[in-house]
Amino acid sequence: MHKDLFVIEGIVANTGERKSIEINTETGLISKISEPNNKADVTLENELIFPGFIDLHVHAREDTSHTQDYKEDFITANEAAINGGVVAFAEMPNNPIPPIDDESYEAKNKLTKKSKVEILLYAGIGPHTSPLNKKVPYKVFMGPSVGELFFNTQKELEEVIKNYEGESVSFHCEDPEILEKNKNERTHEKRRPPTAEISAVDFALGLIEKYHLSGKICHCSTLEGVNKIIDAKARGVSVVVEVTPHHLYFDETILREERKMFQVNPPIRQSKENRLGLIKLLKEGKIDFLATDHAPHTIEEKERGMSGLTHLDTYGPFVSWLMKEHDFTPQEIVRVCSENPGNFINNFSEKKPARTTDFVQSGGYGKIEEGYVGSLTILDMNKPVKITKEILKTKCGWSPFEGITFDGSVVMTIIKGKILKNEIK
Ligand SMILES: [Zn+2]
């Protein structure tokens, strides 16, 4: 075997066919797909080969201040991602020194280079920011959450969004005025009611349409909010939507015990009916992305009431739950975990050529095809995994899924032709 080539043979998830996939380890790209010939470096049996999973919503915490590296950094987030079968992620800007202009963005971007998992940074939009020179995705926090990058009123937000006409903007939708009105309520979920999200989704959709943004609504938790987005898409608004594992797996029934560990924005507060409704829309492809909102805090911080859950380590096992418990086909998983998020990050690839016909030489994420990045996630649907602290790589060392056994697990993660996780005997 040529030393620059890595060959893996097995069942390709989206077609169900056995293929031999050859990856050039110099370029990191898939160089050939052919019929199996028993000459592969790795020959799989019944495992499924997915185009590597991509998580569009991660807080890795490290920034140029390094004051939150104790929660997570780009190395440990990268390890947790590999553990969960995530080969690339997009990372959020609510840092102590937020990336909001060319200089702060490049400085933070340098820190990501130690990660083997590809990291695309969002730039933040705050009360006094303006667009960068480079084409990047933006994130806006409509109301106060974690960090200082937020607006107090929707009017204040619109004044700034005007400057971002035509850009890619992701919205954290919680209406600051509704949060303010409910701030003295007794529980976290009452302080942040569903109406805060629904009202903010309406406002975000209005901005997206008015300023011709490529919009993305983050972690939408209410069926009413998602349906507004689906209606907007139908009338031609350029908008996509994420849903998190926690809004699909948990509902109001867990709020009795251990509520602090499950505290997150927007909160877990929905009915079972709402939860199952979100799962159905994800399966149908009407929700575009399974994006985790991985937001690591220490156990002590969680006990003090900090919002955010961890997810990177459990991305692949959670996918197996969607397949086993909710009958997602491998194709339906590929759409929301690989292809759609791949299309999102490919928009910002520095290697992207001017002519799309050159794309096959340049590498893109989301498909198992010649010319695409050779980063793959291998799931064994017959190898259950129990989530315990011991198997996690995230620095904060806990998961909302602890104690839960998922039916399938990530047995191999390959990044650009290199095996970075291997549990195949
Ligand atoms: Zn987030």
Side-chain angles (χ1 to χ4, degrees):
M1 198 55 52
H2 198 277
K3 71 171 171 43
D4 297 341
L5 294 178
F6 167 78
V7 182
I8 183 166
E9 197 172 294
I11 303 167
V12 176
N14 23 343
T15 60
E17 293 171 356
R18 278 193 87 79
K19 291 285 177 192
S20 168
I21 303 164
E22 179 189 287
I23 303 168
N24 182 322
T25 54
E26 294 269 291
T27 63
L29 305 183
I30 297 171
S31 44
K32 198 164 98 188
I33 295 173
S34 55
E35 295 310 311
N37 53 23
N38 291 317
K39 286 186 196 149
D41 300 292
V42 172
T43 303
L44 301 168
E45 290 172 24
N46 298 317
E47 297 86 351
L48 296 174
I49 307 176
F50 286 86
F53 297 147
I54 298 163
D55 187 350
L56 292 186
H57 197 134
V58 169
H59 300 261
R61 300 294 175 212
E62 183 171 348
D63 72 341
T64 51
S65 79
H66 295 288
T67 52
Q68 297 193 342
D69 291 11
Y70 68 92
K71 297 176 195 258
E72 193 84 288
D73 57 46
F74 287 122
I75 293 281
T76 57
N78 146 88
E79 287 167 354
I82 291 165
N83 196 25
V86 171
V87 304
F89 63 77
E91 208 271 341
M92 290 294 168
N94 56 331
N95 301 116
I97 301 178
I100 48 171
D101 54 26
D102 291 299
E103 202 185 341
S104 53
Y105 187 93
E106 279 320 316
K108 185 179 171 191
N109 206 25
K110 272 199 193 116
L111 303 174
T112 67
K113 300 303 172 199
K114 56 194 175 227
S115 167
K116 295 196 167 65
V117 167
E118 188 111 11
I119 300 175
L120 170 68
L121 296 181
Y122 291 91
I125 295 180
H128 307 287
T129 62
S130 53
L132 276 57
N133 286 314
K134 185 176 162 183
K135 190 182 176 196
V136 298
Y138 295 92
K139 170 72 184 288
V140 61
F141 296 83
M142 295 174 80
S145 184
V146 174
E148 298 300 318
L149 216 53
F150 62 83
F151 295 87
N152 291 309
T153 65
Q154 293 186 333
K155 192 166 170 288
E156 189 183 287
L157 168 62
E158 181 164 2
E159 283 305 309
V160 175
I161 284 289
K162 277 180 187 163
N163 306 323
Y164 289 81
E165 178 128 23
E167 300 287 354
S168 166
V169 181
S170 294
F171 292 82
H172 176 125
C173 286
E174 289 186 288
D175 183 332
E177 288 149 78
I178 295 179
L179 298 186
E180 178 63 27
K181 215 178 291 167
N182 290 281
K183 68 177 183 193
N184 295 322
E185 288 287 346
R186 270 184 48 249
T187 60
H188 184 69
E189 61 276 12
K190 288 220 165 71
R191 290 189 286 273
R192 308 179 88 101
T195 49
E197 176 177 280
I198 297 160
S199 155
V201 165
D202 259 332
F203 189 68
L205 289 172
L207 293 179
I208 292 164
E209 203 167 0
K210 191 166 170 190
Y211 299 105
H212 308 102
L213 309 174
S214 288
K216 173 155 68 68
I217 307 298
C218 297
H219 44 56
C220 202
S221 67
T222 57
L223 271 182
E224 209 178 326
V226 174
N227 283 325
K228 281 174 186 289
I229 297 162
I230 294 169
D231 289 348
K233 272 193 209 188
R235 56 169 206 273
V237 179
S238 173
V239 62
V240 284
V241 56
E242 305 170 354
V243 71
T244 69
H246 47 272
H247 292 122
L248 300 179
Y249 194 91
F250 300 110
D251 54 41
E252 59 189 357
T253 57
I254 57 134
L255 291 175
R256 272 162 263 144
E257 344 116 32
E258 294 222 56
R259 51 166 48 246
K260 282 190 172 162
M261 291 311 276
F262 290 98
Q263 186 175 312
V264 64
N265 302 333
I268 294 167
R269 65 192 157 201
Q270 73 272 32
S271 63
K272 186 178 177 190
E273 191 187 20
N274 185 103
R275 180 171 70 78
L276 296 177
L278 293 175
I279 291 173
K280 183 166 173 281
L281 292 172
L282 183 68
K283 183 168 156 62
E284 291 169 355
K286 291 180 178 151
I287 292 176
D288 302 272
F289 313 105
L290 178 69
T292 68
D293 199 6
H294 173 82
H297 301 294
T298 65
I299 292 170
E300 298 72 46
E301 287 170 334
K302 288 303 290 177
E303 280 161 2
R304 291 204 303 270
M306 208 168 260
S307 296
L309 306 177
T310 78
H311 279 301
L312 278 173
D313 283 283
T314 51
Y315 194 102
F318 181 78
V319 161
S320 81
W321 178 79
L322 290 174
M323 292 174 71
K324 279 264 165 102
E325 293 295 317
H326 295 283
D327 300 320
F328 277 59
T329 63
Q331 292 83 350
E332 287 163 351
I333 293 296
V334 168
R335 177 165 59 194
V336 296
C337 300
S338 312
E339 206 167 326
N340 290 344
N343 287 339
F344 183 91
I345 66 170
N346 291 345
N347 281 322
F348 306 97
S349 169
E350 282 163 9
K351 286 177 283 184
K352 195 181 178 192
R355 292 181 301 132
T356 47
T357 46
D358 292 339
F359 187 66
V360 286
Q361 278 97 45
S362 70
Y365 280 88
K367 287 186 179 174
I368 299 179
E369 278 177 21
E370 284 173 30
Y372 274 77
V373 176
S375 293
L376 308 169
T377 305
I378 321 293
L379 278 194
D380 185 341
M381 290 301 295
N382 301 306
K383 192 182 177 212
V385 58
K386 183 176 180 184
I387 308 305
T388 61
K389 286 192 167 47
E390 290 66 42
I391 66 162
L392 303 173
K393 306 284 184 196
T394 178
K395 198 186 273 187
C396 66
W398 67 277
S399 159
F401 294 126
E402 275 172 51
I404 290 165
T405 299
F406 290 109
D407 283 313
S409 46
V410 175
V411 287
M412 192 175 274
T413 305
I414 294 168
I415 295 201
K416 297 178 179 169
K418 301 208 169 71
I419 300 174
L420 296 183
K421 173 177 183 170
N422 189 359
E423 287 188 354
I424 293 176
K425 298 291 171 292

